[in-house]
Amino acid sequence: MTVSRALTIAGSDSGGGAGIQADLKTFQELGVFGMTAITAVTAQNTLGVQGVYPLTIEALKTQIDSVAVDLQPNAVKTGMLFNAEMIQLVAERIRYYNWENIIVDPVMIAKGGQSLLQEEAVEALITSLMPLAKVITPNIPEAEVLTGMKIQTFEQKKEAAKKLFDLGATFVMIKGGHDPNGEVVIDLLYDGQRFDTFEGVRKETKHTHGTGCTFAAAITAEMSKGKSVREAVKTAKAFIQAAIEDQLGIGGGHGPTNHWAFKKNNITTV
Ligand SMILES: Nc1ncnc2c1ncn2[C@@H]1O[C@H](COP(=O)(O)OP(=O)(O)O)[C@@H](O)[C@H]1O
Ligand SMILES: Cc1ncc(COP(=O)(O)OP(=O)(O)O)c(N)n1
């Protein structure tokens, strides 16, 4: 039996909806063995982020090395990386282990507005990590920070995707959750030549905490099984759509998505 393995390098969300917890739940639901290297512990719930406690660089490096030398992930996802030093370390370790299936979710700000990445670390993200990525998955505000342009129209989204592609990733995925309106939510994938769109019905709900982490984790899980990027995105889109639609309704604020929904409803994609 071949066991597909995925590593997530990200922050812990005590509330369980985003970060490492969302990644592991998604890996598990998609039949992938999940491993972790934690950058920071956050005290967080559906109402917001109450505390951010970064680990040391040594703690992060040792976690990555422990996993790498023994368990060898087939795909690696990055999420909350907190500061420039951590980004440099992660980039250096990716190069050292010659990892190729790298999915970079450039997490910057939580839904409640709390910063999860120091402002001065954006440059390190652009110069050190983006060029190593097979797929990057910014939401619209993150794409705006990374490109320095406003994204209000579909044409601007395409222009931003081209700018992001020039930073060195093989595929750029700009997610559409933050588009101001529309009954359909459109995610845009670009590989330097071709644009593909992945559409879903927009659900009117406040329970979208962790959508970005979950979506990128599902892409990572599928890529760890050897699926192409387009196949992986297709499954990830179905996974997140089900997780948003079949809501759990827990917590007093922005509740988590339902990581059980895709499997529970026997959804198949490819
Ligand atoms: N209200 C919604 N209804 C349906 N799909 C959504 C909704 N909000 C986000 N999504 C989907 O969830 C995924 C994450 O998108 P987004 O919310 O933009 O990311 P982030 O959580 O990083 O801000 C994308 O596939 C997006 O299309
Ligand atoms: C520890 C941690 N990592 C990432 C996030 C951001 O997650 P995301 O999927 O973008 O969801 P929202 O926070 O925007 O709901 C986080 N909150 N915590």
Side-chain angles (χ1 to χ4, degrees):
M1 177 193 178
T2 309
V3 178
S4 301
R5 283 151 288 171
L7 167 65
T8 169
I9 305 174
S12 163
D13 168 8
S14 55
I20 287 280
Q21 287 79 357
D23 295 349
L24 280 182
K25 290 173 192 180
T26 305
F27 293 164
Q28 185 76 14
E29 289 298 303
L30 289 169
V32 169
F33 183 78
M35 300 164 287
T36 63
I38 296 179
T39 56
V41 172
T42 71
Q44 197 173 162
N45 56 24
T46 68
L47 301 171
V49 181
Q50 291 81 39
V52 176
Y53 309 95
L55 269 68
T56 62
I57 286 292
E58 190 198 349
L60 179 58
K61 178 175 183 296
T62 312
Q63 293 174 84
I64 296 171
D65 289 343
S66 295
V67 171
V69 298
D70 185 31
L71 292 154
Q72 295 130 15
N74 307 108
V76 178
K77 167 184 181 283
T78 70
M80 173 189 180
L81 293 176
F82 188 65
N83 64 24
E85 218 184 342
M86 287 192 181
I87 293 170
Q88 306 286 12
L89 171 81
V90 170
E92 187 272 320
R93 290 288 89 185
I94 288 171
R95 286 196 304 271
Y96 181 82
Y97 291 113
N98 284 319
W99 284 332
E100 287 181 358
N101 275 337
I102 307 299
I103 295 82
V104 174
D105 186 20
V107 171
M108 293 181 189
I109 296 172
K111 270 210 176 69
Q114 172 94 24
S115 173
L116 301 174
L117 180 75
Q118 292 177 352
E119 247 172 64
E120 57 273 24
V122 172
E123 198 51 36
L125 197 58
I126 291 173
T127 54
S128 303
L129 204 52
M130 297 282 163
L132 303 176
K134 180 70 73 68
V135 190
I136 58 170
T137 63
N139 61 23
I140 288 173
E142 289 156 358
E144 289 181 334
V145 170
L146 293 167
T147 59
M149 64 176 280
K150 268 267 153 234
I151 306 173
Q152 280 157 341
T153 66
F154 191 64
E155 277 317 305
Q156 286 171 336
K157 216 190 254 186
K158 282 170 114 175
E159 194 187 328
K162 287 182 179 171
K163 283 191 180 200
L164 289 166
F165 179 80
D166 290 341
L167 300 180
T170 314
F171 284 83
V172 174
M173 156 53 67
I174 303 184
K175 299 169 291 188
H178 295 250
D179 267 335
N181 43 42
E183 285 171 12
V184 176
V185 53
I186 303 174
D187 301 336
L188 181 68
L189 186 70
Y190 181 59
D191 68 356
Q193 291 190 315
R194 168 176 157 187
F195 288 101
D196 288 291
T197 53
F198 297 82
E199 299 185 6
V201 176
R202 183 180 294 277
K203 166 105 178 160
E204 278 312 318
T205 176
K206 62 176 183 168
H207 298 297
T208 55
H209 175 53
T211 48
C213 300
T214 301
F215 182 61
I219 295 173
T220 308
E222 290 305 293
M223 285 175 63
S224 80
K225 298 174 187 170
K227 297 285 169 61
S228 72
V229 171
R230 284 187 185 84
E231 284 171 336
V233 170
K234 192 174 168 193
T235 301
K237 185 69 184 161
F239 190 97
I240 193 63
Q241 188 75 36
I244 294 170
E245 276 177 9
D246 197 349
Q247 63 188 32
L248 297 169
I250 57 173
H254 291 288
T257 69
N258 181 353
H259 294 95
W260 289 303
F262 180 81
K263 207 165 151 188
K264 190 183 85 183
N265 296 321
N266 291 315
I267 296 168
T268 49
T269 49
V270 186

